[in-house]
Amino acid sequence: MDQRINDGLSPYRTFTRAEWAALREDTPMTLHPDEVARLRSMHDRLDMSEIEEIYLPLSRLLSMYVAATQRLFRAEQRFLGTEDVKMPYIIGIGGSVAVGKSTTARVLQALLARWPNVPKVDLVTTDGFLYPNAILEREKLMDRKGFPESYDLQALLRFLTDVKAGRRPTRAPIYSHLVYDVMANHWVEVDRPDILIVEGLNVLQAGRLPKDGEAIPFVSDFFDFSVYLDADEEVLKTWYVSRFLTLRGMLFSDPKSYFHRYSKLTDTEAVATATDIWTRINLVNLRENILPTRRRADLILKKNESHSVDEVALRRL
């Protein structure tokens, strides 16, 4: 973890991988190798040791937080004599493009669903709350896709409000990476889960300052716990370019792909194109909007160049 996290005034307690792994104790629960293969995203070198040393202790910690929240909710019901609907525990996962947010979200979903007090765990990505391409093109925001202004923030806030209020079912739009657009009339339903995981680039970003004394909500207001996936800029760039090269021969080769025009690029051309996209768009977004939110997370997972987590920083209670 960099010096800003490790300094004496840090609100975090930092663990090495070995120290964090020791927190799992003798928990017998884990995932099978075939499950790990299904959960792993492209280029995420996730293996059983990382599941057991990083994600199993994290799921154990989260399960304790969820159980404590549920006990408090039941005690409050008895004290007030109310029959309020149980609110889900919401976990936010943020970080740069290519850092592995999707894999982390899916692994946590699979592990948390196995703990006895959390049988129902849902997952949504904020990609579905991007404005459709037609709107982004009209507003000249296609090169700002993934920046805060490219999201329908009000729709995302309404969704989270409905989830917290226990309304059922609540629907989130679906995004297609093939056509690089929100899919019209396609939804995923969220029906009163015990835990909801929300994964996206800018989920930890703060909102505007209150105007005229009126509170302005932002997405992280709804989170009970948040995770930031961290890696050095050059490492992230390498992962992004490598992923682009792989997609060139897979997803991009489909004629329906938005990026089909890149499928015929030579290796040299593909590297140059990916590097340009990273530098003009993703690196700018990382520096301006994503990295500044790191210190707002409850937990920071720092990855090395092999895509493995080698340091964990947990916010002190």
Side-chain angles (χ1 to χ4, degrees), residues 149-170:
E149 62 267 29
S150 66
Y151 291 91
D152 186 345
L153 180 59
Q154 293 308 310
L156 178 54
L157 291 173
R158 284 195 301 272
F159 167 77
L160 292 171
T161 298
D162 288 345
V163 169
K164 276 292 192 183
R167 298 187 179 97
R168 57 190 310 184
T170 305

Side-chain angles (χ1 to χ4, degrees), residues 239-304:
W239 293 342
Y240 180 81
V241 172
S242 179
R243 186 177 70 175
F244 187 94
L245 290 171
T246 301
L247 289 172
R248 178 192 51 162
M250 297 173 58
L251 189 67
F252 296 172
S253 63
D254 188 326
K256 292 179 291 188
S257 171
Y258 180 86
F259 296 107
H260 182 61
R261 63 190 181 278
Y262 296 143
S263 63
K264 304 302 182 183
L265 295 177
T266 65
D267 286 352
T268 301
E269 291 169 337
V271 169
T273 300
T275 301
D276 176 65
I277 295 171
W278 169 261
T279 304
R280 286 189 302 104
I281 301 174
N282 295 307
L283 180 59
V284 175
N285 196 16
L286 172 64
R287 290 176 174 176
E288 291 183 357
N289 302 304
I290 302 171
L291 187 58
T293 70
R294 179 178 60 181
R295 295 281 303 248
R296 303 190 73 244
D298 296 301
L299 185 87
I300 303 171
L301 299 177
K302 181 65 181 287
K303 290 187 171 186
N304 57 34

Side-chain angles (χ1 to χ4, degrees), residues 101-126:
K101 298 184 300 299
S102 297
T103 294
T104 293
R106 289 193 294 266
V107 168
L108 283 179
Q109 180 185 28
L111 286 172
L112 287 169
R114 299 187 178 203
W115 289 94
N117 60 305
V118 283
K120 192 172 190 298
V121 185
D122 285 345
L123 167 64
V124 298
T125 72
T126 58

Side-chain angles (χ1 to χ4, degrees), residues 7 10 43 55 74 79 88 117 123 133 154 166 171 173 176 196 204 222 236 248 293 303 309:
D7 63 34
S10 171
H43 295 299
Y55 293 106
R74 290 192 293 269
F79 179 76
N117 60 305
L123 167 64
N133 285 358
Q154 293 308 310
R171 301 193 304 179
S176 168
L196 174 65
L204 297 177
F222 294 87
L236 290 167
R248 178 192 51 162
T293 70
K303 290 187 171 186
V309 175

Side-chain angles (χ1 to χ4, degrees), residues 30-31 35 50 85-86 119 138 158 199 216 266 311:
T30 189
L31 300 176
E35 293 177 288
E50 182 141 287
V85 176
K86 180 178 67 177
R138 185 186 70 205
R158 284 195 301 272
E199 174 257 306
I216 301 173
T266 65
E311 204 163 39

